[in-house]
Amino acid sequence: TRSHLVGIVKGFLESYDFTGKTMILLHHAGSGLGNTKSTIAEITGAEMKKGLAVSGATAQNDRDATGQSVNQWLEEVGVLG
């Protein structure tokens, strides 16, 4: 089911052709990704890379650790080489 996606996000994803594109997800660590990754892939036809969850408290209080986590993740998914 796609009902867990906010309507405006679902509408955006359905309105554009993402075939052959790669998407990566960055989100607040509160509730996790669930099946969002597979749902977005189903809607868009895009290749989905591993997502990254960032805690708001960590991002706010430990920017160095957050920056290191983001850089490591971007290297893992092939955005940074």
Side-chain angles (χ1 to χ4, degrees):
T1 177
R2 298 179 192 162
S3 61
H4 68 280
L5 291 177
V6 177
I8 195 164
V9 172
K10 182 180 174 216
F12 171 81
L13 294 173
E14 291 176 333
S15 296
Y16 293 92
D17 182 7
F18 292 97
T19 304
K21 304 292 184 196
T22 300
M23 292 185 166
I24 55 176
L25 300 175
L26 177 66
H27 66 95
H28 182 274
S31 61
L33 283 173
N35 63 349
T36 301
K37 185 175 160 182
S38 61
T39 300
I40 292 174
E42 179 186 324
I43 292 171
T44 64
E47 175 189 357
M48 299 299 297
K49 296 282 189 174
K50 174 185 166 189
L52 175 69
V54 176
S55 162
T58 302
Q60 187 174 27
N61 299 319
D62 194 348
R63 293 181 184 198
D64 289 338
T66 301
Q68 289 174 356
S69 294
V70 170
N71 285 332
Q72 180 181 356
W73 168 65
L74 290 172
E75 288 175 4
E76 288 176 12
V77 297
V79 174
L80 295 179

